[in-house]
Amino acid sequence: MQAFLTDHRLNVGLVSPEVPLISNLPVWSNIALIRQYHENLPGEKSRALVIDLLERFGMTSIAEKRNPFLTEEERFCVMFIRAATIRDAIVCLDRPFRLLPARPGGRFFTEALQKIDDLIAEVHIFDYSREKEPYETNDGAEN
Amino acid sequence: MRTTSSLLGTLAFAAGVFLSIFDRRTYNSASRTVFIHQFYFTSVQILPLFLSVAAVFGSLINGMAFQVIKNLGLTDYLGRLLMGFVVTELAPFVTVLLLALRSSAAINAEIAVMKVNRELDTLEHFRIDLLHYLFVPRILSGMLSMIFLTSVFALVVLSVGLIVSGLIFGTGVDAYFDTLLNAADIFDIIVLLIKCATFGFFITMIPIGFGLRATRELTSIPVSVLNGMVTVFLAIIIIEVLSSIIRFI
Amino acid sequence: MARRIEFKVGLFITIVTILILASITYVAYRKDVFSIVHTYTLSSKTGENLTVGMPVAVWGFTIGKVSSLELNDQGIVLIQIKIPERHIRMIRANSKFILDKPLIGIPRIVVQTSDLGDRPLSPQAIPELTESNDINEIIKRAQPIIEKADRIMANIEGITAKLDDPEGDVNRILRETETLIARFSKRDSLLEIAIGDPESIKAIHESLRKIKEITARVDGILQRIDAMAGKTDEELYGPDGVLPQFRNILRDLLMKLAKIDTTFDNINQVSAEAVDSTKNLKGLRNELDETIMTIRNLADEIDRKIPFKTQPEIKLP
C-alpha cells in the first residue's frame, strides 16, 4: 500500500485512522480545507460545496460538528468525502472496518461510492484477505 | 550542549517561519481562515478583559506616577514618563504577558495535541504545508495582535492619563497633548512597533516549536507546554533587554 | 458563526488601524516629518562639541537639528543643518550661528537674527559657526563691570567720608540746619529761605529725583541678579563668585545713596541761613551729580552686557 501511495501521492485520498479528522475544525472545514488550500477556493464557496456533498449523504446537520461528536458511520463518510475532494481523486480505503467496527455490508461502500461518483477517478480498498467476504466485489486488493 | 542545540534548532525554525512569511503560497483561503480565527481568539475575544485591565492598570500607574512627579517637582517630565515609560515600555510588556498567558499556552497545547492525535500527519498526507497553513497564519496573527493590542492599551492609558493629569495637575486637553507630542519621538514609535512585532513572532513561534516536540504520548503534552512557556518567558525578557539597548545606547 | 467572526475581526482591525495611522500621522505632522526641509551648511574650525542631531534653536525654541558633519580637504568642519519650512523665516542673511555650550545640558547651535526682514540666507552660503562658552563669556562680560564698580566705590568712599567726617559738608549742613530750625520753625518752604537761590533749589530737587530713579533701577537689577544667582553654577555665583561680589558693591551703593537721600530730606524740612548754606549745598550737589552720572552709566552697562531685557530669567537647559 505504501508503494501505491507514493506512486499516486499527488491525488490520492486516504481514508484511514492514521489520517484522522482535525479535531478543532468543524466537519465542513475538514472537508473544505483541501480545496481552500490547493485551489484557493473562497471560504463561502467551499462551504457551499461541502454542504452539497453532505446533502448527498443526508448529513448536512453534522456540518458544524467536530470529530469527537460524530458517530463512526458519520466519521467514515466525512473522511470519504474529504478524500474525494482532491482533484481526480484516487480514493484509498485502508482497512475501513477499523473505522466501522459495526462492519456494515459491502452495499454500504457501494452506495457511498455512488453518491460521489462524479468526484472520484478510482477507488482502492486495502484490507486483509480474510476480510474479503463483506465486500460485494471479489477483486479487492490485498495489502 | 543540549541547550545550545535546542537554541540553534529554535533559531533555525524561526528563520524558516520568517522566510515563509514572504512566500506567496502562504496566502490562500485556508491560511486566511486560520489567521482570522486565530486573530479572533487572540485579540477580539480578549478585548473586554484587556480593556478593563488597561483602564484599571492605567489609572493606578498614572495616579501613582503623577503624584510622585508632582511631589518631586518633576512635572516637566510628565510627557516623557507617559511616552517613554508607559507607552513604549509598559504597554507592550503588559500586553505580551497577557497574550503569552492566554494564547501562547493555547497554541502550544493545540499543536501538541495535534501531534499526539496524528492530525499533523493528516495535513501532510493531503500535501498541506504545516508552515504555510498552520504556523505562519498563527504567527502573523500573534504579531498583528501584539501591535494592535499594545496600541489599544497605550490609547486607553493615555486617555486615562488625560483625566488623571487634569485632576492632579489641572492640565487642559491642549496642554496635555502638547506635552505628549513634545515627548513623542518617531524613532521610539518605530522601535515600539518593531518590538511588538518581535514579541508577537516569538510568543507564537516558540509554543509552536515546542508543540511539535511532543511525542505520541499524551503525557508529553504538559511537558511540551511547560517547556514552551518557560522559553516564551525567557524570550520576552531577552527582547525587552535588546529593545532597551537599541533605544538607550 | 464564521461570518460573525470575520465581521468582528474586520471591524477591530479597521478601527485600530485607523487609530494607529491617525496617531502616527498626527505625531509625524507635528514633528515636521512631512514638511519641506531646507538644508544649510555652516563651517567651523573644530568639530568639538558638535554632534549629529544637535538642536538648532532660536530664542530658546528648537527649530531644526544638525543632520551631518563633514571634514573637508581644507580641514574645515562643514555642518549641515536642517530647518523645516515653517521656521525658515528665522534664517536670514544677517543670521549669526553660535555654538552655545551651557553650564548644564547639551550644546546647541543658537541662531541670532537681528533683522527678520532681511533677505533669506542662500543655501549656497556657508556662514561660520562661532563659539560661546557660558562661564568664560560671563566672566569676560563681568570684568569691565567690576572695574567700573571699583571706580564708583572710590566715589562713594569720598561721599561716605564726608558723611562720616564731623567737619564734612553734610554734617556741617546738618548743624547749620539745626540752628535754623530754632529761627524759622514756623515758616513754610524752609529750603527756599535757607538757600535763597531758586536755581540751586531746583538743582538739588533734580538731584534727589535722579537718586531715587537710579536707586530704583539699581535695585531692580539686583533683584534680577538675585534671581539669576539662585539658578546657576556655584563657581560663578557662589560666595566668592563674580556676581555676588558685584551684588555686594551695589548693595553698599544703595545703602549710601539712601543715607544721602535721608540727609536731603532733612534739609528739605529745615531752614538755614541763606548764603552760607547755598555754597555748601552747591558743592555737595556737584559731587552727587557726578556719582549719579557714574551709576547711570553702570546701570546702562549692566543692561547692555547682560541681556535681561529680552530674557527676564536665565533658564537652565
Side-chain angles (χ1 to χ4, degrees), chain C residues 58 83 136 228 240 286:
Chain C
V58 172
I83 311 287
N136 295 337
M228 190 172 90
D240 299 316
N286 287 338

Side-chain angles (χ1 to χ4, degrees), chain C residues 207-209 211-212 215 254-267 288:
Chain C
S207 295
L208 280 171
R209 196 182 57 75
I211 285 174
K212 282 177 181 165
T215 304
L254 271 181
M255 201 174 70
K256 280 157 186 168
L257 286 173
K259 273 188 189 176
I260 300 168
D261 204 15
T262 313
T263 306
F264 271 84
D265 281 346
N266 286 338
I267 294 167
L288 205 56

Side-chain angles (χ1 to χ4, degrees), chain B residues 52-233:
Chain B
S52 312
V53 169
V56 172
F57 214 73
S59 311
L60 276 173
I61 292 290
N62 283 334
M64 286 191 295
F66 288 9
Q67 204 64 53
V68 168
I69 63 170
K70 187 188 178 187
N71 292 341
L72 294 175
L74 298 172
T75 46
D76 289 348
Y77 291 87
L78 175 68
R80 286 191 185 178
L81 176 86
L82 283 168
M83 293 305 292
F85 175 66
V86 175
V87 172
T88 56
E89 295 296 334
L90 194 70
F93 193 69
V94 173
T95 310
V96 78
L97 284 183
L98 270 173
L99 289 197
L101 283 169
R102 193 172 180 272
S103 298
S104 299
I107 289 171
N108 199 329
E110 184 187 14
I111 300 295
V113 167
M114 286 180 87
K115 179 83 181 285
V116 170
N117 285 346
R118 311 181 89 161
E119 291 170 15
L120 299 181
D121 295 345
T122 300
L123 294 172
E124 280 173 353
H125 170 76
F126 287 104
R127 294 184 297 113
I128 293 173
D129 192 294
L130 296 184
L131 270 180
H132 295 161
Y133 170 71
L134 211 55
F135 304 158
V136 174
R138 279 175 170 75
I139 288 167
L140 281 178
S141 154
M143 291 165 79
L144 212 62
S145 297
M146 261 307 297
I147 293 172
F148 279 33
L149 289 178
T150 301
S151 306
V152 169
F153 189 96
L155 288 171
V156 171
V157 173
L158 291 180
S159 305
V160 173
L162 172 63
I163 299 164
V164 176
S165 74
L167 291 173
I168 294 179
F169 301 118
T171 315
V173 178
D174 288 343
Y176 182 75
F177 278 119
D178 279 344
T179 306
L180 291 182
L181 277 168
N182 286 335
D185 189 338
I186 292 289
F187 175 72
D188 282 349
I189 294 173
I190 291 167
V191 171
L192 171 68
L193 292 178
I194 293 170
K195 181 166 123 177
C196 288
T198 314
F199 269 143
F201 181 86
F202 282 100
I203 65 163
T204 42
M205 190 278 292
I206 291 170
I208 288 171
F210 276 84
L212 288 175
R213 291 184 192 183
T215 60
R216 302 283 183 210
E217 304 297 323
L218 278 173
T219 49
S220 68
I221 296 174
V223 176
S224 147
V225 175
L226 185 148
N227 290 334
M229 293 311 289
V230 170
T231 313
V232 162
F233 182 73

Side-chain angles (χ1 to χ4, degrees), chain A residues 9-10 12-14 18-25 33-34 36-38 40-43 82-83 86, chain B residues 25 27-33 110 113-114 117-119 121-123 125-129 132-133 138:
Chain A
R9 66 176 204 85
L10 287 180
V12 71
L14 188 62
E18 272 75 52
V19 188
L21 295 175
I22 293 166
S23 48
N24 65 357
L25 291 181
L33 174 63
I34 317 291
Q36 275 190 292
Y37 184 81
H38 290 294
N40 198 16
L41 197 68
R82 182 180 65 178
I86 296 174
Chain B
R25 286 175 299 164
Y27 303 95
N28 54 58
S29 172
S31 311
R32 201 159 46 242
T33 307
E110 184 187 14
V113 167
M114 286 180 87
N117 285 346
R118 311 181 89 161
E119 291 170 15
D121 295 345
T122 300
L123 294 172
H125 170 76
F126 287 104
R127 294 184 297 113
I128 293 173
D129 192 294
H132 295 161
Y133 170 71
R138 279 175 170 75

Side-chain angles (χ1 to χ4, degrees), chain C residues 5-279:
Chain C
I5 287 176
E6 281 176 16
F7 174 74
K8 284 181 180 175
V9 168
L11 188 68
F12 178 71
I13 289 179
T14 308
I15 291 172
V16 180
T17 305
I18 289 171
L19 283 174
I20 293 172
L21 289 180
S23 308
I24 291 176
T25 310
Y26 183 61
V27 171
Y29 169 73
R30 290 289 298 263
K31 293 271 175 190
D32 293 318
V33 171
F34 302 124
S35 67
I36 300 164
V37 176
H38 295 261
T39 306
Y40 295 100
T41 308
L42 312 177
S43 69
S44 172
K45 286 176 184 135
T46 171
E48 206 178 332
N49 292 307
L50 291 168
T51 50
V52 173
M54 177 189 277
V56 178
V58 172
W59 298 321
F61 290 94
T62 301
I63 60 161
K65 62 181 179 183
V66 173
S67 62
S68 74
L69 296 169
E70 190 186 321
L71 187 66
N72 74 0
D73 297 339
Q74 286 81 48
I76 302 288
V77 179
L78 296 177
I79 306 138
Q80 287 207 326
I81 58 170
K82 288 196 184 293
I83 311 287
E85 175 77 18
R86 66 191 172 103
H87 294 308
I88 207 70
R89 62 192 179 86
M90 300 295 175
I91 312 294
R92 303 278 116 180
N94 65 54
S95 294
K96 287 186 171 58
F97 297 86
I98 299 158
L99 175 61
D100 181 32
K101 291 185 285 180
L103 295 173
I104 302 167
I106 55 166
R108 58 185 181 169
I109 292 175
V110 174
V111 184
Q112 285 182 355
T113 306
S114 53
D115 180 12
L116 288 174
D118 197 2
R119 64 193 161 80
L121 178 66
S122 162
Q124 278 73 44
I126 305 181
E128 194 179 350
L129 179 71
T130 53
E131 197 171 319
S132 142
N133 186 318
D134 266 12
I135 300 172
N136 295 337
E137 195 66 24
I138 291 173
I139 289 172
K140 205 164 76 187
R141 284 181 184 185
Q143 197 62 39
I145 299 173
I146 293 164
E147 283 166 10
K148 194 146 260 184
D150 279 345
R151 285 204 299 278
I152 294 164
M153 275 304 294
N155 280 333
I156 296 294
E157 284 300 323
I159 296 169
T160 314
K162 286 189 171 70
L163 286 170
D164 293 343
D165 182 6
E167 294 305 313
D169 291 342
V170 177
N171 280 306
R172 204 164 63 243
I173 294 162
L174 283 174
R175 279 200 307 277
E176 285 168 0
T177 52
E178 276 169 13
T179 313
L180 283 172
I181 290 168
R183 295 183 189 176
F184 300 102
S185 58
K186 290 177 184 173
R187 299 283 300 272
D188 291 335
S189 191
L190 294 178
L191 188 60
E192 192 178 343
I193 294 164
I195 297 169
D197 175 5
E199 282 303 311
S200 296
I201 295 164
K202 199 177 163 191
I204 288 170
H205 277 298
E206 185 63 22
S207 295
L208 280 171
R209 196 182 57 75
K210 283 177 183 169
I211 285 174
K212 282 177 181 165
E213 184 193 314
I214 298 294
T215 304
R217 290 183 65 186
V218 171
D219 199 32
I221 291 165
L222 269 180
Q223 282 174 12
R224 285 181 285 187
I225 288 173
D226 277 343
M228 190 172 90
K231 289 172 184 289
T232 48
D233 189 68
E234 176 68 19
E235 192 182 335
L236 186 63
Y237 301 104
D240 299 316
V242 175
L243 284 179
Q245 283 178 22
F246 174 59
R247 186 181 59 192
N248 290 340
I249 292 164
L250 288 179
R251 278 193 173 150
D252 195 23
L253 171 65
L254 271 181
M255 201 174 70
K256 280 157 186 168
L257 286 173
K259 273 188 189 176
I260 300 168
D261 204 15
T262 313
T263 306
F264 271 84
D265 281 346
N266 286 338
I267 294 167
N268 213 15
Q269 289 168 16
V270 301
S271 302
E273 287 197 18
V275 181
D276 291 345
S277 296
T278 304
K279 210 169 113 188

